[in-house]
Amino acid sequence: MNYFTADLHFFHEQLLKSEHFSPRPYTDLSSEHAGLQKVWNSRVTDQDTVYHLGDLAFLNKIKPAKKGYQQLLELLLSLKGQIILVKGNHDTRDLFKFLKNQHIILADGRPKFEFHDVGLIVKANHHQFFLTHYPLILGPTASSINLHGHIHHSQVPIAENINVGIDSEDLEYLTADQRPAWGMPLSLEEIEQILIQKHNRLSTK
């Protein structure tokens, strides 16, 4: 199965205390990392693929840089499944190069990591999903959906733009019993529900 998420911001301690973003339900990095690992692995299997749409980690405070890359690698290896990484504004090409050079292969022969600088298209459920970090404005469309991150607890007021970030306001289109645990990657079914509810709500305004 395919799952989608964005803006994990591993190692970004300042984000836990920021007044400019939706508060995260953790007060320290070790608790947040353990919580994100738990919800990820409770849903994702080693046969699944998770698309992470940018801002995987914030490693600026860790010196030398390779030490931060190694710590992040150890964390990522604790997460099940294949991880497809779209570059966000906090992700560096040096980080992606480091991860690629580890040549980690899953038991089924797939690489653990794949990398995209700008984005990619996934076709499913009669939709074309444009996967990017920054929101795209596609214009009127019958079948194209932009899944993105970057804007945290905000949303683009267009139904076909869905923010899949872990602190996204678009998650509020799911009812309490539909909403996954905080930080859990989203399924296509949950994204379809967000699309329907967002379209219905915006069409009544």
Side-chain angles (χ1 to χ4, degrees):
M1 292 185 66
N2 292 336
Y3 296 99
F4 305 85
T5 189
D7 298 305
L8 290 182
H9 279 261
F10 286 126
F11 298 97
H12 198 168
E13 188 170 20
Q14 185 180 1
L15 197 60
L16 299 179
K17 308 168 185 177
S18 175
E19 298 178 358
H20 303 291
F21 298 99
S22 176
R24 296 190 167 204
Y26 297 99
T27 58
D28 62 88
L29 288 178
S30 61
S31 297
E32 183 188 45
H33 292 174
L36 289 171
Q37 178 196 43
K38 180 179 180 181
V39 296
W40 180 298
N41 289 339
S42 70
R43 164 164 281 192
V44 178
T45 73
D46 285 329
Q47 290 71 48
D48 295 330
T49 297
V50 179
Y51 294 86
H52 184 275
L53 307 187
D55 285 2
L56 179 64
F58 186 80
L59 302 172
N60 297 26
K61 302 285 186 180
I62 305 175
K63 305 295 181 184
K66 191 170 182 180
K67 178 181 177 182
Y69 298 166
Q70 187 63 44
Q71 289 181 11
L72 178 61
L73 174 63
E74 291 170 8
L75 203 164
L76 295 177
L77 291 178
S78 74
L79 304 178
K80 294 179 182 177
Q82 184 186 43
I83 306 175
I84 310 295
L85 295 165
V86 173
K87 186 178 179 297
N89 53 296
H90 287 298
D91 303 317
T92 66
R93 288 187 175 88
D94 282 345
L95 168 62
F96 280 14
K97 183 178 179 180
F98 172 85
L99 295 174
K100 185 176 183 179
N101 285 343
Q102 305 310 304
H103 302 291
I104 297 166
I105 304 298
L106 299 172
D108 59 9
R110 296 179 299 161
K112 175 68 176 179
F113 307 112
E114 288 188 4
F115 308 92
H116 296 268
D117 268 355
V118 178
L120 68 157
I121 297 173
V122 170
K123 295 182 179 181
N125 295 359
H126 307 291
H127 294 305
Q128 286 192 109
F129 291 99
F130 288 75
L131 310 184
T132 59
H133 179 59
Y134 303 100
L136 294 177
I137 304 301
L138 297 173
T141 173
S143 62
S144 297
I145 310 296
N146 176 216
L147 305 184
H148 63 86
H150 185 59
I151 56 176
H152 291 268
H153 194 67
S154 299
Q155 63 170 280
V156 178
I158 300 171
E160 290 76 20
N161 289 80
I162 298 176
N163 179 1
V164 298
I166 61 175
D167 44 10
S168 164
E169 187 177 18
D170 281 339
L171 297 175
E172 296 171 14
Y173 287 107
L174 297 172
T175 63
D177 61 323
Q178 293 174 325
R179 198 174 302 165
W182 189 88
M184 183 178 283
L186 294 173
S187 67
L188 279 171
E189 291 74 17
E190 287 158 347
I191 288 169
E192 290 283 358
Q193 284 301 312
I194 292 172
L195 175 65
I196 292 167
Q197 296 305 321
K198 189 173 184 181
H199 183 274
N200 290 344
R201 195 174 304 178
L202 292 176
S203 65
T204 62
K205 291 187 176 181

CSV table of all heavy atoms in Angstrom, one decimal, residues 126-167:
chain,number,residue,atom,x,y,z
A,126,HIS,N,-8.4,6.6,-10.0
A,126,HIS,CA,-8.8,7.5,-11.1
A,126,HIS,C,-8.3,9.0,-10.9
A,126,HIS,O,-8.9,9.9,-11.5
A,126,HIS,CB,-10.3,7.5,-11.2
A,126,HIS,CG,-10.9,6.1,-11.3
A,126,HIS,ND1,-10.7,5.3,-12.5
A,126,HIS,CD2,-11.6,5.3,-10.4
A,126,HIS,CE1,-11.3,4.1,-12.3
A,126,HIS,NE2,-11.9,4.1,-11.1
A,127,HIS,N,-7.3,9.2,-10.2
A,127,HIS,CA,-6.7,10.5,-10.0
A,127,HIS,C,-5.2,10.5,-10.4
A,127,HIS,O,-4.6,9.4,-10.4
A,127,HIS,CB,-6.8,10.9,-8.5
A,127,HIS,CG,-8.1,11.2,-8.0
A,127,HIS,ND1,-9.0,12.0,-8.6
A,127,HIS,CD2,-8.7,10.7,-6.9
A,127,HIS,CE1,-10.2,12.0,-7.9
A,127,HIS,NE2,-10.0,11.2,-6.8
A,128,GLN,N,-4.8,11.7,-10.8
A,128,GLN,CA,-3.3,11.9,-10.9
A,128,GLN,C,-2.9,12.7,-9.7
A,128,GLN,O,-3.4,13.8,-9.5
A,128,GLN,CB,-3.0,12.7,-12.1
A,128,GLN,CG,-3.0,11.9,-13.4
A,128,GLN,CD,-2.4,12.7,-14.6
A,128,GLN,OE1,-1.3,12.4,-15.0
A,128,GLN,NE2,-3.1,13.8,-15.0
A,129,PHE,N,-2.1,12.1,-8.8
A,129,PHE,CA,-1.7,12.9,-7.6
A,129,PHE,C,-0.3,13.5,-7.9
A,129,PHE,O,0.7,12.8,-8.1
A,129,PHE,CB,-1.6,11.9,-6.4
A,129,PHE,CG,-2.9,11.4,-5.9
A,129,PHE,CD1,-3.4,10.2,-6.3
A,129,PHE,CD2,-3.7,12.2,-5.1
A,129,PHE,CE1,-4.6,9.7,-5.9
A,129,PHE,CE2,-4.9,11.7,-4.6
A,129,PHE,CZ,-5.4,10.5,-5.0
A,130,PHE,N,-0.3,14.8,-7.9
A,130,PHE,CA,1.0,15.5,-8.1
A,130,PHE,C,1.6,15.7,-6.7
A,130,PHE,O,1.0,16.4,-5.8
A,130,PHE,CB,0.7,16.9,-8.7
A,130,PHE,CG,0.4,16.8,-10.2
A,130,PHE,CD1,-0.9,16.4,-10.6
A,130,PHE,CD2,1.3,17.1,-11.1
A,130,PHE,CE1,-1.2,16.3,-11.9
A,130,PHE,CE2,1.0,17.0,-12.5
A,130,PHE,CZ,-0.3,16.6,-12.9
A,131,LEU,N,2.7,15.1,-6.4
A,131,LEU,CA,3.3,15.1,-5.1
A,131,LEU,C,4.4,16.1,-5.1
A,131,LEU,O,5.5,15.9,-5.7
A,131,LEU,CB,3.8,13.7,-4.8
A,131,LEU,CG,2.9,12.5,-5.0
A,131,LEU,CD1,3.5,11.2,-4.5
A,131,LEU,CD2,1.5,12.7,-4.3
A,132,THR,N,4.3,17.1,-4.3
A,132,THR,CA,5.3,18.2,-4.2
A,132,THR,C,5.4,18.6,-2.7
A,132,THR,O,4.6,18.3,-1.9
A,132,THR,CB,4.9,19.4,-5.0
A,132,THR,OG1,3.6,19.9,-4.5
A,132,THR,CG2,4.7,19.0,-6.5
A,133,HIS,N,6.5,19.4,-2.4
A,133,HIS,CA,6.6,20.0,-1.1
A,133,HIS,C,5.8,21.2,-1.1
A,133,HIS,O,4.9,21.4,-0.2
A,133,HIS,CB,8.1,20.3,-0.8
A,133,HIS,CG,8.2,20.9,0.6
A,133,HIS,ND1,7.8,20.3,1.8
A,133,HIS,CD2,8.7,22.1,1.0
A,133,HIS,CE1,8.0,21.1,2.8
A,133,HIS,NE2,8.6,22.2,2.3
A,134,TYR,N,6.0,22.1,-2.0
A,134,TYR,CA,5.2,23.4,-2.0
A,134,TYR,C,3.9,23.2,-2.7
A,134,TYR,O,3.8,22.4,-3.7
A,134,TYR,CB,6.0,24.4,-2.8
A,134,TYR,CG,7.4,24.7,-2.3
A,134,TYR,CD1,8.5,24.1,-2.8
A,134,TYR,CD2,7.6,25.5,-1.1
A,134,TYR,CE1,9.8,24.3,-2.3
A,134,TYR,CE2,8.9,25.7,-0.6
A,134,TYR,CZ,10.0,25.1,-1.2
A,134,TYR,OH,11.2,25.3,-0.7
A,135,PRO,N,2.8,23.8,-2.3
A,135,PRO,CA,1.5,23.7,-3.0
A,135,PRO,C,1.6,24.2,-4.4
A,135,PRO,O,2.3,25.1,-4.8
A,135,PRO,CB,0.6,24.6,-2.2
A,135,PRO,CG,1.3,24.9,-0.9
A,135,PRO,CD,2.8,24.7,-1.1
A,136,LEU,N,0.9,23.5,-5.3
A,136,LEU,CA,0.7,23.8,-6.7
A,136,LEU,C,-0.7,24.4,-6.9
A,136,LEU,O,-1.6,23.9,-6.3
A,136,LEU,CB,0.9,22.6,-7.6
A,136,LEU,CG,2.3,22.0,-7.7
A,136,LEU,CD1,2.2,20.8,-8.6
A,136,LEU,CD2,3.4,23.0,-8.2
A,137,ILE,N,-0.8,25.3,-7.8
A,137,ILE,CA,-2.2,25.8,-8.2
A,137,ILE,C,-2.4,25.2,-9.6
A,137,ILE,O,-1.8,25.7,-10.6
A,137,ILE,CB,-2.3,27.3,-8.2
A,137,ILE,CG1,-1.9,27.8,-6.8
A,137,ILE,CG2,-3.7,27.7,-8.6
A,137,ILE,CD1,-2.8,27.3,-5.7
A,138,LEU,N,-3.2,24.2,-9.7
A,138,LEU,CA,-3.4,23.4,-10.9
A,138,LEU,C,-4.5,24.0,-11.8
A,138,LEU,O,-4.6,23.7,-13.0
A,138,LEU,CB,-3.8,22.0,-10.6
A,138,LEU,CG,-2.7,21.2,-9.9
A,138,LEU,CD1,-3.2,19.8,-9.5
A,138,LEU,CD2,-1.4,21.0,-10.8
A,139,GLY,N,-5.4,24.9,-11.2
A,139,GLY,CA,-6.5,25.4,-12.0
A,139,GLY,C,-7.6,24.3,-12.0
A,139,GLY,O,-7.5,23.3,-11.4
A,140,PRO,N,-8.7,24.6,-12.7
A,140,PRO,CA,-9.9,23.7,-12.8
A,140,PRO,C,-9.4,22.4,-13.3
A,140,PRO,O,-8.8,22.3,-14.3
A,140,PRO,CB,-10.9,24.4,-13.7
A,140,PRO,CG,-10.5,25.8,-13.6
A,140,PRO,CD,-9.0,25.9,-13.4
A,141,THR,N,-9.8,21.3,-12.6
A,141,THR,CA,-9.3,20.0,-13.0
A,141,THR,C,-10.3,18.9,-12.5
A,141,THR,O,-10.9,19.1,-11.4
A,141,THR,CB,-7.9,19.7,-12.4
A,141,THR,OG1,-7.6,18.3,-12.6
A,141,THR,CG2,-7.9,19.9,-10.9
A,142,ALA,N,-10.5,17.9,-13.3
A,142,ALA,CA,-11.5,16.9,-12.9
A,142,ALA,C,-10.8,15.7,-12.2
A,142,ALA,O,-11.4,15.0,-11.4
A,142,ALA,CB,-12.2,16.4,-14.1
A,143,SER,N,-9.5,15.5,-12.4
A,143,SER,CA,-8.9,14.3,-11.9
A,143,SER,C,-7.5,14.5,-11.3
A,143,SER,O,-6.9,13.6,-10.8
A,143,SER,CB,-8.7,13.3,-13.0
A,143,SER,OG,-7.9,13.8,-14.1
A,144,SER,N,-7.0,15.8,-11.3
A,144,SER,CA,-5.6,16.0,-10.7
A,144,SER,C,-5.7,16.6,-9.3
A,144,SER,O,-6.5,17.5,-9.1
A,144,SER,CB,-4.9,17.0,-11.6
A,144,SER,OG,-4.7,16.4,-12.9
A,145,ILE,N,-5.0,16.0,-8.4
A,145,ILE,CA,-4.9,16.4,-7.0
A,145,ILE,C,-3.5,16.7,-6.6
A,145,ILE,O,-2.6,15.9,-7.0
A,145,ILE,CB,-5.5,15.3,-6.1
A,145,ILE,CG1,-6.8,14.7,-6.6
A,145,ILE,CG2,-5.5,15.7,-4.6
A,145,ILE,CD1,-7.9,15.7,-6.6
A,146,ASN,N,-3.3,17.8,-6.0
A,146,ASN,CA,-1.9,18.1,-5.5
A,146,ASN,C,-1.8,17.8,-4.0
A,146,ASN,O,-2.5,18.3,-3.2
A,146,ASN,CB,-1.6,19.6,-5.7
A,146,ASN,CG,-0.3,20.1,-5.1
A,146,ASN,OD1,-0.2,21.2,-4.6
A,146,ASN,ND2,0.7,19.2,-5.2
A,147,LEU,N,-1.0,16.8,-3.7
A,147,LEU,CA,-0.7,16.5,-2.3
A,147,LEU,C,0.7,17.2,-2.0
A,147,LEU,O,1.6,17.1,-2.7
A,147,LEU,CB,-0.5,15.0,-2.1
A,147,LEU,CG,-1.7,14.1,-2.5
A,147,LEU,CD1,-1.4,12.6,-2.1
A,147,LEU,CD2,-3.0,14.6,-1.8
A,148,HIS,N,0.7,17.9,-0.9
A,148,HIS,CA,1.9,18.7,-0.6
A,148,HIS,C,2.0,18.9,0.9
A,148,HIS,O,1.3,18.3,1.7
A,148,HIS,CB,1.7,20.1,-1.2
A,148,HIS,CG,0.5,20.9,-0.6
A,148,HIS,ND1,0.6,21.7,0.5
A,148,HIS,CD2,-0.8,21.0,-1.0
A,148,HIS,CE1,-0.6,22.2,0.8
A,148,HIS,NE2,-1.4,21.8,-0.1
A,149,GLY,N,3.1,19.6,1.3
A,149,GLY,CA,3.3,19.9,2.7
A,149,GLY,C,3.6,21.4,2.8
A,149,GLY,O,2.9,22.2,2.2
A,150,HIS,N,4.6,21.7,3.6
A,150,HIS,CA,5.2,23.1,3.7
A,150,HIS,C,4.5,24.1,4.5
A,150,HIS,O,5.1,24.8,5.3
A,150,HIS,CB,5.5,23.6,2.3
A,150,HIS,CG,6.2,24.9,2.3
A,150,HIS,ND1,7.5,25.1,2.8
A,150,HIS,CD2,5.9,26.2,1.9
A,150,HIS,CE1,7.9,26.3,2.7
A,150,HIS,NE2,6.9,27.0,2.1
A,151,ILE,N,3.2,24.1,4.4
A,151,ILE,CA,2.4,25.3,5.1
A,151,ILE,C,1.9,24.9,6.4
A,151,ILE,O,1.2,25.7,7.0
A,151,ILE,CB,1.3,25.8,4.1
A,151,ILE,CG1,0.3,24.7,3.8
A,151,ILE,CG2,1.9,26.4,2.9
A,151,ILE,CD1,-0.8,25.2,2.9
A,152,HIS,N,2.3,23.8,7.0
A,152,HIS,CA,2.0,23.4,8.3
A,152,HIS,C,0.5,23.6,8.6
A,152,HIS,O,-0.4,23.1,7.9
A,152,HIS,CB,2.9,24.1,9.3
A,152,HIS,CG,4.3,23.6,9.2
A,152,HIS,ND1,4.8,22.6,10.0
A,152,HIS,CD2,5.3,24.0,8.3
A,152,HIS,CE1,6.1,22.4,9.6
A,152,HIS,NE2,6.4,23.3,8.6
A,153,HIS,N,0.1,24.3,9.7
A,153,HIS,CA,-1.3,24.3,10.1
A,153,HIS,C,-2.0,25.4,9.3
A,153,HIS,O,-2.5,26.4,9.9
A,153,HIS,CB,-1.4,24.6,11.6
A,153,HIS,CG,-2.8,24.4,12.1
A,153,HIS,ND1,-3.3,23.1,12.2
A,153,HIS,CD2,-3.7,25.2,12.6
A,153,HIS,CE1,-4.6,23.2,12.7
A,153,HIS,NE2,-4.8,24.5,13.0
A,154,SER,N,-2.0,25.2,8.0
A,154,SER,CA,-2.7,26.1,7.1
A,154,SER,C,-3.2,25.2,6.0
A,154,SER,O,-2.9,24.1,5.9
A,154,SER,CB,-1.7,27.2,6.5
A,154,SER,OG,-1.2,28.0,7.5
A,155,GLN,N,-4.0,25.8,5.1
A,155,GLN,CA,-4.5,25.1,4.0
A,155,GLN,C,-4.7,26.0,2.8
A,155,GLN,O,-4.9,27.2,3.0
A,155,GLN,CB,-5.9,24.4,4.3
A,155,GLN,CG,-7.0,25.4,4.6
A,155,GLN,CD,-8.3,24.7,4.7
A,155,GLN,OE1,-8.9,24.4,3.6
A,155,GLN,NE2,-8.8,24.4,5.9
A,156,VAL,N,-4.6,25.5,1.6
A,156,VAL,CA,-5.0,26.2,0.4
A,156,VAL,C,-6.5,26.0,0.2
A,156,VAL,O,-7.0,24.9,0.3
A,156,VAL,CB,-4.2,25.6,-0.8
A,156,VAL,CG1,-4.7,26.3,-2.1
A,156,VAL,CG2,-2.7,25.6,-0.7
A,157,PRO,N,-7.2,27.1,0.1
A,157,PRO,CA,-8.7,27.0,0.0
A,157,PRO,C,-9.2,26.5,-1.3
A,157,PRO,O,-10.1,27.1,-2.0
A,157,PRO,CB,-9.1,28.5,0.2
A,157,PRO,CG,-8.0,29.3,-0.3
A,157,PRO,CD,-6.7,28.5,0.0
A,158,ILE,N,-8.6,25.4,-1.8
A,158,ILE,CA,-9.0,24.7,-3.0
A,158,ILE,C,-9.1,23.2,-2.7
A,158,ILE,O,-8.1,22.7,-2.1
A,158,ILE,CB,-8.0,25.0,-4.1
A,158,ILE,CG1,-7.9,26.5,-4.5
A,158,ILE,CG2,-8.4,24.1,-5.4
A,158,ILE,CD1,-6.8,26.8,-5.4
A,159,ALA,N,-10.2,22.6,-3.0
A,159,ALA,CA,-10.3,21.2,-2.6
A,159,ALA,C,-9.3,20.3,-3.1
A,159,ALA,O,-8.9,19.3,-2.5
A,159,ALA,CB,-11.7,20.7,-3.0
A,160,GLU,N,-8.8,20.6,-4.3
A,160,GLU,CA,-7.8,19.7,-5.0
A,160,GLU,C,-6.4,19.9,-4.5
A,160,GLU,O,-5.5,19.2,-5.0
A,160,GLU,CB,-7.8,19.9,-6.5
A,160,GLU,CG,-9.1,19.4,-7.2
A,160,GLU,CD,-10.3,20.3,-6.9
A,160,GLU,OE1,-10.1,21.5,-6.6
A,160,GLU,OE2,-11.5,19.8,-7.1
A,161,ASN,N,-6.2,20.8,-3.5
A,161,ASN,CA,-4.9,20.9,-2.8
A,161,ASN,C,-5.0,20.4,-1.4
A,161,ASN,O,-5.8,20.9,-0.6
A,161,ASN,CB,-4.5,22.4,-2.8
A,161,ASN,CG,-4.1,22.9,-4.1
A,161,ASN,OD1,-4.9,23.3,-4.9
A,161,ASN,ND2,-2.8,23.0,-4.4
A,162,ILE,N,-4.3,19.3,-1.1
A,162,ILE,CA,-4.5,18.7,0.2
A,162,ILE,C,-3.1,18.6,0.8
A,162,ILE,O,-2.1,18.1,0.3
A,162,ILE,CB,-5.0,17.2,0.1
A,162,ILE,CG1,-6.4,17.3,-0.5
A,162,ILE,CG2,-5.1,16.6,1.4
A,162,ILE,CD1,-7.1,16.0,-0.8
A,163,ASN,N,-3.0,19.3,2.0
A,163,ASN,CA,-1.8,19.3,2.8
A,163,ASN,C,-1.7,18.0,3.6
A,163,ASN,O,-2.5,17.8,4.5
A,163,ASN,CB,-1.8,20.5,3.7
A,163,ASN,CG,-0.6,20.7,4.6
A,163,ASN,OD1,0.3,19.8,4.5
A,163,ASN,ND2,-0.6,21.7,5.4
A,164,VAL,N,-0.8,17.2,3.3
A,164,VAL,CA,-0.6,15.9,4.0
A,164,VAL,C,0.4,15.9,5.2
A,164,VAL,O,0.8,14.9,5.7
A,164,VAL,CB,-0.3,14.7,3.1
A,164,VAL,CG1,-1.4,14.5,2.0
A,164,VAL,CG2,1.1,15.0,2.4
A,165,GLY,N,0.8,17.1,5.5
A,165,GLY,CA,1.8,17.3,6.6
A,165,GLY,C,1.2,16.8,7.9
A,165,GLY,O,0.0,16.9,8.1
A,166,ILE,N,2.1,16.5,8.9
A,166,ILE,CA,1.6,15.9,10.1
A,166,ILE,C,0.8,16.9,11.0
A,166,ILE,O,0.1,16.5,11.9
A,166,ILE,CB,2.7,15.2,10.9
A,166,ILE,CG1,3.8,16.2,11.3
A,166,ILE,CG2,3.3,14.0,10.1
A,166,ILE,CD1,4.9,15.5,12.2
A,167,ASP,N,1.0,18.2,10.8
A,167,ASP,CA,0.3,19.2,11.5
A,167,ASP,C,-0.6,20.0,10.6
A,167,ASP,O,-0.9,21.2,10.9
A,167,ASP,CB,1.2,20.1,12.3
A,167,ASP,CG,2.4,20.5,11.5
A,167,ASP,OD1,2.4,20.3,10.3
A,167,ASP,OD2,3.4,21.1,12.1
